[in-house]
Amino acid sequence: MMDILFIDRLTVMAYIGINDWEKNCLQKLIFDLQLSCNTEFFEDHQSVVSYIDYTHVNQVILSLVSQKHFYLIEDVANLIANTLIEKFCIYWVRVKVNKPGAIHNACNVGICVERKNKTLLKSLKKS
Ligand SMILES: Nc1nc2c(c(=O)[nH]1)N=C([C@H](O)[C@@H](O)CO)CN2
């Protein structure tokens, strides 16, 4: 069994979009994140594998999204998913990027990507 650390409706202003006007205009992106982990590892807080600090996850996302202009919401989702897999001890991650208001006759549009930490999942199978 695996546990899931989640962050809902994390809101960030970003330069995002395929149109010229979107290069200089901050727009709202809302993230829903799920990080699969094993919280039993976390009981010993002195151990190397410690808990996943959701404030640290938040900082990583803020720093990634504020660095540059992104063309597609897919680009943001992929960068965040791959970075979280690299930086945190998690089995898989699900990143949903919402760009509300992008289509005038829909309340929301977005993309949801899932990435696995193949190395960690392999070591889980062996044990
Ligand atoms: N699959 C996608 N389609 C579109 C995107 C996107 O990021 N992914 N973006 C746009 C525009 O930037 C739009 O949001 C402007 O309002 C159009 N299609």
Side-chain angles (χ1 to χ4, degrees):
M1 291 296 287
M2 288 182 194
D3 308 322
I4 298 178
L5 180 79
F6 65 89
I7 304 179
D8 285 343
R9 313 300 290 169
L10 193 163
T11 304
V12 179
M13 299 305 286
Y15 292 105
I16 173 87
I18 64 173
N19 302 298
D20 278 347
W21 64 265
E22 294 185 286
K23 287 188 182 137
N24 302 310
C25 167
L26 281 168
Q27 297 184 77
K28 192 191 281 182
L29 291 180
I30 303 173
F31 297 96
D32 296 304
L33 303 144
Q34 295 183 349
L35 292 78
S36 163
C37 51
N38 183 347
T39 56
E40 284 170 338
F41 286 164
F42 303 163
E43 281 167 12
D44 173 9
H45 297 302
Q46 305 304 313
S47 71
V48 177
V49 182
S50 193
Y51 64 95
I52 295 162
D53 183 342
Y54 45 70
T55 64
H56 187 195
V57 175
N58 180 34
Q59 282 163 6
V60 169
I61 290 170
L62 288 175
S63 144
L64 287 173
V65 175
S66 62
Q67 270 173 28
K68 60 172 191 160
H69 169 263
F70 293 90
Y71 197 64
L72 299 173
I73 54 173
E74 286 88 335
D75 300 333
V76 185
N78 279 312
L79 178 66
I80 289 176
N82 293 333
T83 306
L84 294 179
I85 287 283
E86 258 174 49
K87 283 193 183 292
F88 295 94
C89 185
I90 53 178
Y91 298 111
W92 54 258
V93 66
R94 186 172 291 139
V95 177
K96 184 175 172 199
V97 182
N98 305 278
K99 190 178 181 187
I103 297 179
H104 78 275
N105 53 341
C107 72
N108 194 14
V109 294
I111 182 78
C112 184
V113 303
E114 296 176 343
R115 294 291 173 271
K116 283 180 192 161
N117 185 336
K118 290 180 189 130
T119 318
L120 203 58
L121 283 167
K122 222 182 260 175
S123 70
L124 190 68
K125 270 189 196 157
K126 280 183 195 157
S127 62

